[in-house]
Amino acid sequence: MKILQKVNSKILVLLTTMLLAVITLFTGAHVASISKANAAETMTYIDTQVESMGYLQSGKVIMAFRLTVSDYDDHGEVAGEFSDVSSPKYKYLTSLSYWKEFEKMNSKGVAFSQCFAYWNGGLGDSQIGSVGKNAVGHLTTLPRVEYGFLVYFPAGTTFPCLEYFKNNCEGTPVAYRTTEDVAFCYDGKAFVKIDYKVATARMSALEEIKNVDTSKYLQAEQEEVAALVVETEGQLSTCMSLLDVQNVMESFSEALSKIKTVEYYAQLDSKKAQAKQEISTFFNGMTQSAYGEAEWALISSMKKESGSLIDEAMDMDSVDRVVTGIQYKVEEILTEAEKPEFAQFVAAAVKNIQDAFVVTLYREAEATQGAALVEEGKKALEQATTYGEAEALELSYLTKIDALKTAAEWEAEEQENQNTQPKPQPKPEQPQPEPSDKGELSAGCGSSIGGNLVVISLAFMLVVILKNKKRMDI
């Protein structure tokens, strides 16, 4: 029995040792696989920043990004078409956020081509925009660069390491990683840096307007929404401040709220049905015997038209206005019992108009106009059929009479005009020139002396003639 126990103990120890060995082997293999997996997932990062952007229009757009720190030291084409998407190079490239997330990092949802990659700022000897050396460029799905095109890179965006890529992506992956948020916007000539907060606000706004659920609208309204989105995209492309973005989005929200949804139309139909029921109840509560023949015919006509008027309403408020309007007009129609009192009301209104015009206060022209207005108002009031109509007519003719200018007003106006006219000023007397001490003659003196000279000349001629005559006599 003791021998058997010893054998069993040895067997037990042996089994335990073997089991421990198996556990140790399995555990070691498992730890090794985890380490390998972790090693495969580990990446070495080198800090950098996106310094500038450029592009080349070659069929579709090639975009380039210059980093402050990189090993992009020449302009040769390093990577061409990827024929094998399972290759280490392809997997490495597509694991980098600048490639993987680029669709979400620009305002047009532009993606890099999955087939081509160009490095170091050029195709052959061509520079990409003004980026120059130390840049990485890629063919994109963008047909052309338009004003306002926005690209932003959040801190932590990763770019490829050229040396690691050239080495067929073997060993521990290496990538450049940005340390700051940066954004660029195309201003029609080049990509310029803009405030990152503005860029992200614009991106959020673009995402909001593009994600409007058009299934909530009918076809016609879907076209309205699409047009509004296009218009707002254009407005956002010009925003250079957070306030600009806020104003654009407030205008968008307001305009969108006015576009009717399918749900709104359903609610509108329900409201119209309720309105028709309300109007029907209103008309059914009226008694034909209370009205004259003409008045009841008018009520019947309005009842018949009420349904179509409600159907034509384009919104909730219009439905309410139609119902209120119909009820008001019907309640204005006089019953037979109300007509005597209404006649007294009309007579009082006519008297008010007549009393308002006192013919002796006016000149002839205004007196004629006033008399005509009184007669015209009297006839119009006698044709009125409702209190509202009579009140409006009375007010209208009283206003017209009040506008007539009285004789006193004319006189005051004429006196004011006379007082404001400039009075004629007397002409100043011309001063008479005095003779000059130096023998200079004034115009007046010259004229007098001129006359004297003529007299002297005639006298001299007379003397000469007499002398000659005397000689002849001798």
Side-chain angles (χ1 to χ4, degrees):
M1 178 65 71
K2 290 181 179 180
I3 295 174
L4 183 59
Q5 287 178 348
K6 287 181 180 181
V7 171
N8 288 339
S9 298
K10 289 181 178 181
I11 293 174
L12 182 60
V13 170
L14 180 61
L15 290 175
T16 301
T17 302
M18 291 176 62
L19 180 60
L20 289 173
V22 171
I23 292 173
T24 302
L25 180 63
F26 175 80
T27 303
H30 182 61
V31 170
S33 67
I34 291 176
S35 300
K36 288 181 180 180
N38 289 338
E41 293 174 0
T42 301
M43 182 176 288
T44 299
Y45 295 105
I46 302 171
D47 289 346
T48 189
Q49 188 56 272
V50 182
E51 186 175 32
S52 59
M53 272 189 65
Y55 76 98
L56 176 67
Q57 187 78 49
S58 176
K60 290 188 177 179
V61 173
I62 298 171
M63 287 189 179
F65 315 100
R66 183 177 183 179
L67 306 182
T68 55
V69 176
S70 74
D71 60 353
Y72 312 146
D73 56 0
D74 59 32
H75 293 280
E77 180 181 335
V78 180
E81 182 175 353
F82 290 97
S83 57
D84 182 8
V85 296
S86 63
S87 69
K89 287 184 176 182
Y90 183 84
K91 289 183 177 180
Y92 169 67
L93 188 64
T94 55
S95 69
L96 301 174
S97 57
Y98 90 111
W99 180 300
K100 183 170 57 176
E101 301 293 332
F102 191 67
E103 275 184 273
K104 300 176 182 178
M105 292 157 57
N106 68 82
S107 58
K108 293 289 185 181
V110 175
F112 291 139
S113 168
Q114 293 291 312
C115 298
F116 296 92
Y118 296 91
W119 309 99
N120 306 324
L123 295 174
D125 295 330
S126 300
Q127 296 295 312
I128 297 185
S130 59
V131 175
K133 201 172 181 180
N134 298 331
V136 55
H138 285 281
L139 183 67
T140 72
T141 58
L142 188 67
R144 61 186 177 278
V145 179
E146 296 179 344
Y147 178 86
F149 181 70
L150 181 69
V151 181
Y152 75 99
F153 299 96
T157 301
T158 51
F159 288 84
C161 172
L162 183 57
E163 182 179 358
Y164 178 76
F165 191 88
K166 284 181 176 180
N167 292 334
N168 201 34
C169 302
E170 295 180 352
T172 301
V174 180
Y176 295 102
R177 182 169 62 183
T178 62
T179 57
E180 297 178 9
D181 300 325
V182 65
F184 300 88
C185 184
Y186 185 65
D187 66 359
K189 295 180 180 179
F191 281 96
V192 295
K193 282 187 178 181
I194 68 168
D195 188 317
Y196 186 79
K197 291 181 179 179
V198 175
T200 53
R202 279 172 55 174
M203 291 294 291
S204 298
L206 285 168
E207 184 176 0
E208 179 179 342
I209 66 175
K210 289 178 180 178
N211 288 335
V212 173
D213 185 4
T214 56
S215 66
K216 294 164 52 178
Y217 303 90
L218 297 176
Q219 180 63 37
E221 284 71 25
Q222 286 180 3
E223 294 175 2
E224 285 187 58
V225 172
L228 178 61
V229 167
V230 171
E231 179 184 0
T232 307
E233 283 180 343
Q235 294 170 345
L236 285 170
S237 70
T238 66
C239 292
M240 298 304 289
S241 70
L242 293 175
L243 181 60
D244 291 340
V245 177
Q246 179 182 341
N247 290 338
V248 167
M249 290 308 294
E250 285 178 355
S251 297
F252 172 79
S253 298
E254 182 179 355
L256 185 64
S257 67
K258 295 178 181 178
I259 300 177
K260 300 177 180 65
T261 62
V262 173
E263 182 182 3
Y264 181 89
Y265 279 120
Q267 293 172 349
L268 182 60
D269 289 341
S270 176
K271 187 173 184 65
K272 287 180 178 180
Q274 294 174 2
K276 289 178 180 179
Q277 181 60 45
E278 181 181 348
I279 285 294
S280 177
T281 303
F282 172 75
F283 279 111
N284 290 338
M286 306 184 74
T287 305
Q288 181 176 356
S289 59
Y291 296 89
E293 184 177 347
E295 287 76 17
W296 187 253
L298 179 59
I299 291 171
S300 300
S301 175
M302 293 177 68
K303 180 180 180 180
K304 185 177 180 180
E305 293 175 358
S306 62
S308 59
L309 291 174
I310 291 172
D311 287 335
E312 291 170 3
M314 298 301 295
D315 53 53
M316 305 289 188
D317 291 340
S318 296
V319 174
D320 290 335
R321 285 193 294 270
V322 168
V323 172
T324 303
I326 291 172
Q327 292 174 338
Y328 176 78
K329 289 179 180 179
V330 171
E331 289 171 349
E332 278 275 283
I333 297 175
L334 299 172
T335 63
E336 289 298 298
E338 292 170 334
K339 285 183 179 180
E341 184 178 349
F342 178 70
Q344 295 175 6
F345 180 84
V346 169
V350 170
K351 187 175 185 306
N352 288 339
I353 293 175
Q354 292 170 336
D355 292 344
F357 176 68
V358 180
V359 68
T360 57
L361 297 177
Y362 301 91
R363 291 182 177 180
E364 183 178 355
E366 286 73 26
T368 302
Q369 294 177 37
L373 286 172
V374 170
E375 186 62 25
E376 183 182 318
K378 179 176 180 295
K379 291 180 179 179
L381 279 164
E382 289 172 349
Q383 297 297 318
T385 57
T386 66
Y387 281 95
E389 184 183 1
E391 288 173 347
L393 286 169
E394 180 184 2
L395 178 61
S396 174
Y397 281 97
L398 287 174
T399 302
K400 291 176 182 179
I401 291 171
D402 186 62
L404 294 175
K405 196 174 293 186
T406 64
E409 289 171 334
W410 273 119
E411 291 170 3
E413 184 176 319
E414 290 165 353
Q415 183 63 42
E416 182 179 355
N417 291 338
Q418 185 176 0
N419 292 337
T420 56
Q421 288 180 356
K423 295 181 179 180
Q425 299 295 326
K427 294 184 178 179
E429 295 182 1
Q430 297 293 333
Q432 295 298 324
E434 297 179 0
S436 173
D437 294 338
K438 296 181 180 180
E440 294 179 353
L441 300 177
S442 66
C445 293
S447 174
S448 176
I449 293 173
N452 293 334
L453 288 174
V454 172
V455 172
I456 293 170
S457 297
L458 290 174
F460 178 76
M461 289 176 64
L462 181 59
V463 170
V464 172
I465 292 170
L466 291 174
K467 282 185 178 182
N468 289 337
K469 185 175 184 301
K470 188 175 182 181
R471 286 175 182 174
M472 289 176 64
D473 290 341
I474 296 173

